Amino acid sequence: MNRTHIPGILAMAAIVVASNILVQFLFGQWLTWGAFTYPLAFLVTDVMNRVYGAGPARRVVFAGFLTGVICSLIGTQIMGEFGPLVTLRIALGSGLAFLVAQLLDISVFSALRGGRWWRAPLVSTLVGSSVDTALFFTIAFSTWLSALEPGNDVSWANEALPLLGAGPVAPLWVSLAVADWTVKLSLALLALIPFRLIVRRLQPSLA
């Protein structure tokens, strides 16, 4: 591993740890504070991909995945009001969503690398974020996958409510997913600014 990759690995690990902590704290009715830190993982991946290439970007992703696994293991041992802070379904959903979405982000970014500077980070993050949200919330909370953890009662997440309090009736977890997805898309646009600045700083010839 090149020493220049260490900041990316540390940044990814810090984002994963912070997100695992902040997901315990609500922000409004549909979000947690973790929704605002987790999307930064895509920024780290895209910067690494642009500056160092797909290989180093994958190594950073695997470091983040390992950090997430450790956080999940710790979370299963911490008891909250309704049981462990991290259930098996949440751990599976979180890990699988992170790994699939980040690797997909790298593939899409690499395919679009030769276009306008903003196209690869924007499209790859939008695609990766969408897959991340769909995988995590479906695996963690949908009744379709109850067999993954029969003892985990997710009825609270499947309560039928108006979507985001105003739309058609849908399970609560769908509202949570839509709110999370909306934040990810918004931050994908905002992240273009630090992406441009960081790439210019690290590799002026690529900016």
Side-chain angles (χ1 to χ4, degrees):
M1 179 182 64
N2 193 312
R3 192 180 305 176
T4 57
H5 304 161
I6 293 177
I9 291 173
L10 293 178
M12 180 66 81
I15 290 167
V16 171
V17 170
S19 298
N20 274 271
I21 294 172
L22 292 175
V23 75
Q24 308 299 325
F25 302 97
L26 292 175
F27 178 87
Q29 188 174 358
W30 312 108
L31 294 165
T32 70
W33 281 102
F36 299 95
T37 55
Y38 177 76
L40 296 176
F42 290 97
L43 171 62
V44 173
T45 300
D46 289 345
V47 168
M48 292 298 297
N49 199 345
R50 172 63 77 186
V51 177
Y52 302 110
R58 290 190 188 96
R59 285 191 282 275
V60 167
V61 166
F62 287 127
F65 174 73
L66 180 59
T67 302
V69 169
I70 294 172
C71 288
S72 292
L73 290 174
I74 294 173
T76 60
Q77 303 304 309
I78 301 175
M79 299 301 294
E81 183 179 356
F82 303 104
L85 292 183
V86 178
T87 64
L88 173 62
R89 289 185 62 176
I90 288 177
L92 286 174
S94 177
L96 186 60
F98 177 87
L99 194 58
V100 171
Q102 292 291 332
L103 293 179
L104 181 59
D105 177 282
I106 292 171
S107 296
V108 173
F109 189 105
S110 297
L112 300 176
R113 180 182 297 277
R116 299 287 295 274
W117 72 267
W118 53 266
R119 189 173 66 166
L122 179 60
V123 176
S124 64
T125 298
L126 292 180
V127 172
S129 295
S130 299
V131 170
D132 182 279
T133 298
L135 281 177
F136 172 72
F137 283 94
T138 301
I139 294 172
F141 302 120
S142 74
T143 55
W144 311 324
L145 299 176
S146 295
L148 288 173
E149 193 178 14
N152 179 15
D153 182 11
V154 294
S155 59
W156 65 271
N158 287 274
E159 181 183 358
L161 295 169
L163 185 66
L164 296 178
V169 173
L172 170 61
W173 70 266
V174 176
S175 289
L176 301 178
V178 171
D180 180 82
W181 181 66
T182 301
V183 170
K184 285 191 176 89
L185 298 191
S186 300
L187 291 180
L189 291 171
L190 293 175
L192 290 175
I193 298 172
F195 173 85
R196 182 70 162 169
L197 295 175
I198 295 170
V199 170
R200 275 182 169 174
R201 174 88 175 182
L202 296 176
Q203 285 280 6
S205 62
L206 295 178

